[in-house]
Amino acid sequence: KDTTKAYTQVPHKTLKSKVLVTLVRVEYNGAVLGDSPKAGVLPDGTAEYDFSTSFEYSPDGPNSLDVLVQKPLLLTVLEVVPKEKKKPERITPLGQAVVDLLPLLQGTTLNFTVFAPLYAVSASPSEIFIFVSQGGLEVTVSTKELLLSATQFSSGNLLSITLEAVYSVPDAFTADTQQNCMVCLQIPAAGEKEFPLLFKNGILKADGKNEPLPRPKHWPLGPILAPDALNIPNSFIVGGPYEDEDGELTKSERAQRGSCGTRKGAVSWMLLQWPCEGPE
């Protein structure tokens, strides 16, 4: 069975001559894979971690082809404040980055290296926010053998599905209640059961508010400490004319559809997912 390893290098800057001590936490599919050793930031503003970790890929396990296609690797840079007299060691998140694993499934490579932009966590002080947002993680991901051959990749099906929003939601959907808005799509699979594709953590929008355009598409990771890290690079919702399917709508209902996004509440996702039907 194949494993995936990640090696990280974090450009960063010191703050007010303070020696910043950091570590990197690696997570995948909701599981913590490991923490790197602690490393001080060098005078040139970088920190290097001699660290690797792995997880197991299995066609029938929790990290199957469908999961590898849809979910990126999540890396979190943490500041480690040494313990003092009566104060215990304190660990504070500084920023997060994500790495797309799709290149491993294209049947052409056993490894790849990327520079993943680092995004500051929402609660970062302004000076930390500036320095972290100028940095990134150099990550190498590898497998022992090809997960798919080029022939298998070309004979399979890889779809990209973006869910933008659901409009004119029921009045019972209110922003002041604890609700998790979800949409489930059933993807047909030849000779097999339908594949359920779940979009979670929809954000309820108030009446009369339109989303700005263009706006970035998001990874389906759910809430994380650095929300900007959810943005998929070079992938945006740009708006514009759409070819609508009228179905059984009457003339008056067809006219109402154009304004339902502002007259009543809406739930926004802006999520991109890649359901993958593997080769036979």
Side-chain angles (χ1 to χ4, degrees):
K1 296 181 179 179
D2 300 291
T3 59
T4 300
K5 294 185 177 180
Y7 307 86
T8 60
Q9 184 176 8
V10 185
H12 203 287
K13 294 194 176 182
T14 57
L15 307 176
K16 299 179 181 179
S17 300
K18 174 185 175 182
V19 177
L20 198 64
V21 178
T22 60
L23 61 84
V24 173
R25 177 165 296 161
V26 184
E27 300 173 64
Y28 189 71
N29 196 18
V32 176
L33 303 182
D35 291 349
S36 74
K38 302 170 189 175
V41 176
L42 301 176
D44 64 355
T46 66
E48 185 169 356
Y49 308 93
D50 184 12
F51 169 68
S52 66
T53 186
S54 65
F55 66 86
E56 186 176 90
Y57 155 76
S58 174
D60 301 318
N63 298 322
S64 62
L65 281 180
D66 289 314
V67 174
L68 293 181
V69 167
Q70 294 179 41
K71 295 187 177 181
L73 199 67
L74 177 64
L75 303 106
T76 304
V77 177
L78 303 166
E79 178 185 8
V80 181
V81 179
K83 61 181 179 180
E84 299 175 354
K85 296 179 180 178
K86 295 183 179 181
K87 295 182 179 180
E89 181 181 78
R90 188 173 77 253
I91 296 179
T92 304
L94 297 179
Q96 292 183 304
V98 298
V99 176
D100 185 6
L101 300 181
L102 184 60
L104 291 179
L105 301 178
Q106 296 177 341
T108 58
T109 183
L110 290 174
N111 61 79
F112 66 92
T113 300
V114 297
F115 183 80
L118 192 61
Y119 297 91
V121 301
S122 301
S124 294
S126 58
E127 67 271 20
I128 292 181
F129 184 91
I130 293 173
F131 287 129
V132 170
S133 62
Q134 294 174 348
L137 301 173
E138 185 177 287
V139 183
T140 297
V141 183
S142 64
T143 62
K144 292 181 178 179
E145 57 186 56
L146 291 176
L147 302 183
L148 289 176
S149 67
T151 301
Q152 288 176 317
F153 179 77
S154 62
S155 64
N157 294 312
L158 182 63
L159 309 176
S160 65
I161 299 177
T162 300
L163 176 63
E164 295 186 28
V166 172
Y167 296 106
S168 194
V169 298
D171 294 334
F173 286 33
T174 58
D176 57 352
T177 58
Q178 295 294 323
Q179 296 176 335
N180 188 348
C181 300
M182 295 182 285
V183 166
C184 184
L185 304 179
Q186 296 292 108
I187 308 299
E192 302 177 8
K193 294 182 179 179
E194 291 184 332
F195 173 73
L197 188 63
L198 188 63
F199 295 84
K200 299 185 292 184
N201 303 307
I203 301 173
L204 186 65
K205 302 293 183 180
D207 298 358
K209 292 185 178 180
N210 280 325
E211 292 284 351
L213 292 171
R215 55 186 184 271
K217 297 181 182 180
H218 296 161
W219 292 109
L221 284 181
I224 62 174
L225 298 174
D228 287 345
L230 292 175
N231 297 344
I232 301 176
N234 304 315
S235 186
F236 297 91
I237 294 172
V238 297
Y242 293 93
E243 183 178 343
D244 292 325
E245 173 62 49
D246 287 338
E248 299 180 355
L249 292 179
T250 64
K251 184 176 181 180
S252 61
E253 290 171 334
R254 193 178 300 117
Q256 179 187 6
R257 177 171 57 184
S259 60
C260 66
T262 55
R263 290 173 55 188
K264 294 192 68 175
V267 179
S268 174
W269 280 268
M270 295 176 288
L271 289 179
L272 172 65
Q273 297 208 49
W274 299 82
C276 174
E277 181 184 342
E280 297 182 357

